[in-house]
C-alpha cells in the first residue's frame, strides 16, 4: 500500500488561489520525493515490486479458475467443484494426464545407409528370393485379398500378408509421427535409433558369411551414435532401438557361431532393445509382439473384429498349425501332431512344412477362428508368431514352455496367465498325458471367460495401419512406447543405480 501524504489533498476551490497558501505544487511534493526522505525509497520499492509481479503474471493463464472448463485439457491435476447443497468444495477424480507427461522422444536422423538404403536393396536381402513384396506398404506387405470370405468384407482392407521380421519398419514410421516426438534433442527425454538391424543382418545368417559381414552395419551405426552429444551425456541409458528379429540373432559369442554380436558390443550395453523375443535375464531386452496380418485402420475396426471373433461358432476343441521337425530326436511338435490326428474331429491341424505358413495363410486363420484352443509349442526359439495369430483370432493359447510367453511379453499380456491361457508341462505330454483330455476338463463358462480375456487384449497385440495410431485405442506400438518412457522416467528416480 502506498504511503499517505502528510498533508491532506486540497479541496477543489483551494486550487483557485494556490499562491495564497504560501506553497506551490513543487513546494508540496518536493520534500516528499527528496532522496533524503525515506518515504521516497519505500514508494519506489513498492512500485518496483508491483512491476515485477505484473511481469511474472503475464506467463500465467489469463484465468485461474477451479472449474473443468478453465483447466487445460491434458493436465495432471484434481478438479475442485462446489457442492450446491452445503456450499463446500469437494475434490473430484483426476482428469486425464498430459499425453507426454512421461517424456518426449527425439528420432535420430541416421544416414540412410542404416534404413532407407536397406529397403531400397530389398531384392538382395534374402539369398534365395526378393523381399520387396514383403517389405512393401510401409512394411505391412501385400494386401491379403485371399482372406475374402473368411473375414468380414468391410475388414478385408485391414488385413495384409505381413512378414514376421518387419517391426523395425513399423516402429520407425510410427516414431516419425509420434505425438510426443520433438525436433530439438535438448527437449527430449528419450532417443530413438532407427537402424534396421534385423534386415541388415538377415542376408548373412545362412550363407558362409564372415563375422565381419554380420557385424558391419552394427559397428558403423554404433560409431555414429557414440559421437552424438546426447549419447555421450547419458552413456546410452535414455536410448532405444527396435531390432526386428529374436535376441539370439544378435548374441554371437564366437566368430564361428550363429548371427551377429551386435548386442554384445560395448556401445549397446545400456541401450534398450525392442525385440520379438527377448532374453529374460537381460534388463535391456524388451519383448514386443510379432507383427500379425491384422492392421486396423480405426477404433471401429478393432471393435468390429472383436465382435466377429466373439460371435464366431467354433467347431473344434483345439488345433495345431506347424510342421514336425523330424531331424530332431523326440520332436515335440511331432508328438502334438500325432495327438491331434488321433483326436478325430476334436482337433484341426495345418501342415506348415517348408515355407507354406511363413507369412500366414487363409487356412491358418480359418483354423484358429474355428477352434477354442490353439497349441503353441516353441518354434525355432522359445517364441513363435503363431501365438499372436492365434490370439488375434480369439483362440486360447496352450503353452508348453513358460518362456514362450509368460517371461516375454509382460507389457502386452494379462498379468494372470491362467486368465487367458493354458499351461501343460511338455514332459507330461511326452510321457503320454492327453492334451485333449486336459482341455475337455474346462467348462463352457471357463472357456468363455478365457476367450473374453483374449479378445479384450487384441488391441495390445496388433500394429495399427495409420502412422499416427488409433484415436482412443492403444495398440502394440503405443503400449511399447508407454513402457519405454515409463522405464526411462523410473531410471531417473533416486535410488536407481546406473553403472557407467
Amino acid at each position: 500500500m502506498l504511503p499517505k501524504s502528510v498533508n491532506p489533498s486540497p479541496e477543489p476551490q483551494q486550487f483557485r488561489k494556490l499562491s495564497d497558501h504560501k506553497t506551490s505544487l513543487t513546494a508540496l511534493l518536493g520534500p516528499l520525493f527528496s532522496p533524503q526522505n525515506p518515504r521516497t525509497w519505500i514508494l519506489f520499492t513498492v512500485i518496483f515490486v508491483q512491476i515485477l509481479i505484473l511481469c511474472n503474471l503475464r506467463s500465467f493463464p489469463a484465468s485461474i479458475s477451479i472449474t473443468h472448463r478453465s483447466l487445460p485439457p491434458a493436465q495432471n491435476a484434481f478438479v475442485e467443484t462446489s457442492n450446491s447443497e452445503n456450499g463446500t468444495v469437494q475434490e473430484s477424480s483426476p482428469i486425464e494426464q498430459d499425453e507426454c507427461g512421461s517424456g518426449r522422444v527425439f528420432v535420430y536422423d541416421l544416414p540412410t545407409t542404416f534404413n532407407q538404403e536397406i529397403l531400397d536393396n530389398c531384392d538382395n536381402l534374402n539369398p534365395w528370393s526378393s523381399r520387396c513384396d514383403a517389405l512393401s506398404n510401409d512394411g505391412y506387405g501385400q494386401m491379403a485379398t485371399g482372406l475374402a470370405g473368411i473375414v468380414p468384407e468391410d475388414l478385408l482392407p485391414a488385413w495384409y500378408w505381413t512378414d514376421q521380421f518387419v517391426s523395425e519398419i513399423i516402429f520407425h514410421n510410427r516414431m516419425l509421427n509420434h505425438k510426443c516426438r520433438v525436433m530439438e534433442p535438448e527437449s527430449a527425454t528419450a532417443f530413438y535409433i532407427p537402424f534396421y538391424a534385423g534386415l541388415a543382418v538377415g542376408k548373412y545368417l545362412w550363407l558362409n558369411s564372415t563375422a565381419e559381414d554380420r557385424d558391419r552395419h552394427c559397428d558403423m551405426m554404433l560409431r555414429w551414435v557414440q559421437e552424438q552429444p546426447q549419447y555421450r551425456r547419458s552413456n546410452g541409458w535414455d536410448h532405444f532401438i527396435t531390432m526386428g528379429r529374436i535376441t539370439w540373432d544378435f548374441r554371437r559369442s564366437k566368430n564361428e557361431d550363429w548371427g551377429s554380436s551386435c548386442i554384445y558390443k560395448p556401445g549397446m550395453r545400456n541401450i534398450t532393445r525392442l525385440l520379438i523375443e527377448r532374453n529374460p535375464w537381460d534388463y535391456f531386452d524388451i519383448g514386443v509382439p510379432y507383427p500379425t496380418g491384422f492392421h486396423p485402420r480405426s477404433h471401429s475396426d478393432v471393435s468390429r473384429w472383436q465382435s466377429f471373433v466373439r460371435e464366431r461358432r467354433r467347431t473344434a476343441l483345439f488345433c495345431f498349425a506347424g510342421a514336425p521337425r523330424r531331424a530332431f530326436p523326440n520332436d515335440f511338435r511331432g508328438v502334438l501332431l500325432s495327438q491331434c490326428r488321433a483326436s478325430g474331429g476334436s482337433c484341426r491341424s495345418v501342415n506348415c512344412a517348408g515355407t507354406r505358413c511363413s507369412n500366414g495363410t487363409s487356412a491358418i486363420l480359418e483354423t484358429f477362428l474355428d477352434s477354442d484352443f490353439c497349441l503353441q509349442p516353441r518354434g525355432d526359439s522359445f517364441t513363435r508368431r503363431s501365438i499372436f495369430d492365434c490370439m488375434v483370432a480369439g483362440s486360447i493359447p496352450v503353452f508348453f514352455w513358460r518362456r514362450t510367453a509368460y517371461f516375454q511379453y509382460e507389457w502386452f499380456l494379462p498379468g494372470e496367465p491362467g486368465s487367458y491361457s493354458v499351461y501343460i508341462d511338455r514332459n507330461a505330454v511326452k510321457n503320454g498325458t492327453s492334451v485333449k483330455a486336459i482341455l475337455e476338463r474346462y467348462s463352457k463358462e471357463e472357456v468363455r471367460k478365457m476367450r473374453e480375456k483374449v479378445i479384450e487384449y487384441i488391441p495390445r497385440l496388433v500394429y495399427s495401419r495409420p502412422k499416427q495410431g488409433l484415436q482412443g485405442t492403444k495398440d502394440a506400438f503405443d503400449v511399447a512406447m508407454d513402457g519405454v518412457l515409463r522405464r526411462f522416467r523410473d531410471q531417473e528416480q533416486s535410488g536407481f543405480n546406473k553403472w557407467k
Side-chain angles (χ1 to χ4, degrees):
M1 182 176 179
L2 293 175
K4 294 182 179 180
S5 173
V6 175
N7 298 316
S9 299
E11 294 296 323
Q13 63 268 22
Q14 291 177 305
F15 282 96
R16 300 172 186 170
K17 297 182 179 180
L18 190 59
S19 59
D20 295 341
H21 291 272
K22 298 180 182 180
T23 185
S24 65
L25 185 61
T26 303
L28 179 66
L29 299 179
L32 178 62
F33 291 100
S34 172
Q36 286 77 31
N37 190 339
R39 293 181 180 179
T40 299
W41 296 105
I42 295 175
L43 177 62
F44 287 155
T45 301
V46 171
I47 293 174
F48 179 71
V49 170
Q50 289 178 336
I51 291 173
L52 285 179
I53 292 174
L54 288 173
C55 289
N56 286 328
L57 283 176
R58 293 181 65 184
S59 64
F60 287 89
S63 173
I64 307 178
S65 174
I66 55 174
T67 64
H68 280 279
R69 185 174 300 172
S70 64
L71 284 168
Q75 181 177 346
N76 185 18
F78 282 89
V79 179
E80 293 180 338
T81 57
S82 60
N83 187 317
S84 58
E85 294 183 355
N86 54 26
T88 61
V89 176
Q90 296 178 334
E91 187 176 68
S92 70
S93 59
I95 61 177
E96 184 183 359
Q97 280 191 331
D98 178 2
E99 286 186 319
C100 301
S102 295
R104 299 181 185 275
V105 183
F106 178 78
V107 180
Y108 278 121
D109 186 15
L110 281 182
T112 57
T113 302
F114 302 112
N115 41 59
Q116 187 58 48
E117 288 184 20
I118 295 174
L119 296 183
D120 293 341
N121 290 306
C122 55
D123 276 327
N124 301 314
L125 294 181
N126 187 306
W128 302 287
S129 61
S130 171
R131 297 289 309 280
C132 294
D133 284 348
L135 305 182
S136 62
N137 289 323
D138 295 328
Y140 295 103
Q142 298 292 296
M143 297 191 69
T145 55
L147 295 180
I150 297 175
V151 305
E153 183 179 357
D154 58 323
L155 290 178
L156 188 59
W159 282 87
Y160 295 78
W161 298 127
T162 303
D163 189 88
Q164 62 180 333
F165 299 130
V166 294
S167 58
E168 297 157 343
I169 308 173
I170 294 174
F171 270 79
H172 187 193
N173 286 328
R174 290 288 297 276
M175 286 303 314
L176 292 176
N177 296 275
H178 194 266
K179 61 189 176 184
C180 297
R181 181 193 177 193
V182 294
M183 306 306 293
E184 303 296 332
E186 294 78 14
S187 57
T189 54
F191 298 85
Y192 182 65
I193 306 170
F195 168 44
Y196 298 169
L199 295 179
V201 76
K203 66 180 295 184
Y204 301 110
L205 292 177
W206 290 275
L207 301 180
N208 294 323
S209 302
T210 66
E212 182 181 5
D213 289 334
R214 287 172 276 162
D215 291 347
R216 181 178 296 110
H217 279 84
C218 182
D219 287 335
M220 290 191 299
M221 180 275 295
L222 288 174
R223 284 196 295 269
W224 189 93
V225 169
Q226 287 177 295
E227 292 176 355
Q228 307 309 307
Q230 293 77 29
Y231 181 95
R232 294 199 300 267
R233 182 192 64 206
S234 69
N235 202 24
W237 277 92
D238 52 8
H239 285 52
F240 67 108
I241 186 173
T242 305
M243 306 179 80
R245 302 186 68 93
I246 65 173
T247 190
W248 315 108
D249 289 341
F250 306 100
R251 290 180 177 272
R252 189 191 72 242
S253 298
K254 297 181 292 185
N255 285 347
E256 60 271 20
D257 289 344
W258 169 270
S260 161
S261 63
C262 190
I263 286 179
Y264 290 144
K265 302 285 184 182
M268 285 289 290
R269 186 184 188 194
N270 302 328
I271 295 176
T272 294
R273 306 172 288 267
L274 305 178
L275 304 120
I276 51 178
E277 178 175 326
R278 67 184 287 253
N279 177 355
W281 296 278
D282 190 330
Y283 167 81
F284 296 96
D285 273 12
I286 302 296
V288 298
Y290 282 72
T292 68
F294 182 45
H295 304 288
R297 303 156 296 175
S298 63
H299 172 75
S300 62
D301 274 3
V302 176
S303 57
R304 173 83 171 90
W305 179 255
Q306 288 174 309
S307 297
F308 172 71
V309 298
R310 180 182 293 114
E311 298 163 2
R312 178 81 174 190
R313 181 174 175 269
R314 300 176 187 263
T315 57
L317 176 64
F318 65 107
C319 66
F320 176 64
R325 304 294 173 86
R326 295 184 177 88
F328 293 88
N330 301 318
D331 173 37
F332 187 69
R333 290 189 180 194
V335 174
L336 294 180
L337 279 171
S338 296
Q339 287 208 15
C340 183
R341 295 190 186 102
S343 297
S346 296
C347 181
R348 293 185 57 180
S349 64
V350 178
N351 187 345
C352 288
T355 60
R356 278 180 281 182
C357 302
S358 58
N359 291 329
T361 67
S362 57
I364 289 180
L365 179 59
E366 194 168 19
T367 298
F368 288 153
L369 286 170
D370 288 343
S371 305
D372 284 330
F373 298 93
C374 57
L375 307 186
Q376 296 298 333
R378 59 173 292 172
D380 295 327
S381 59
F382 284 98
T383 65
R384 60 199 302 245
R385 167 181 159 158
S386 179
I387 299 167
F388 300 98
D389 291 332
C390 153
M391 295 183 69
V392 167
S395 190
I396 302 163
V398 180
F399 299 122
F400 304 90
W401 280 263
R402 297 188 185 278
R403 285 177 61 181
T404 298
Y406 304 151
F407 300 156
Q408 287 290 336
Y409 310 106
E410 292 96 332
W411 292 356
F412 305 88
L413 296 175
E416 176 51 54
S419 68
Y420 74 96
S421 68
V422 174
Y423 175 77
I424 302 176
D425 183 80
R426 61 190 176 279
N427 293 315
V429 175
K430 290 178 180 179
N431 290 330
T433 296
S434 169
V435 171
K436 176 184 175 182
I438 292 177
L439 297 180
E440 284 178 331
R441 296 173 190 168
Y442 288 89
S443 67
K444 290 184 178 180
E445 179 61 17
E446 289 173 321
V447 171
R448 186 195 66 79
K449 287 182 177 180
M450 283 191 287
R451 175 172 298 112
E452 193 58 40
K453 181 62 69 173
V454 169
I455 294 172
E456 176 189 343
Y457 274 71
I458 286 177
R460 304 167 69 92
L461 309 179
V462 299
Y463 298 94
S464 64
R465 188 67 175 95
K467 293 180 180 179
Q468 294 79 17
L470 302 178
Q471 187 69 29
T473 300
K474 290 190 175 183
D475 68 350
F477 171 84
D478 295 318
V479 174
M481 282 306 304
D482 287 348
V484 168
L485 293 175
R486 184 173 59 248
R487 163 182 285 224
F488 287 174
R489 182 191 60 202
D490 292 345
Q491 287 174 180
E492 297 305 316
Q493 302 301 311
S494 59
F496 188 94
N497 295 320
K498 294 181 184 177
W499 55 70
K500 299 296 183 181

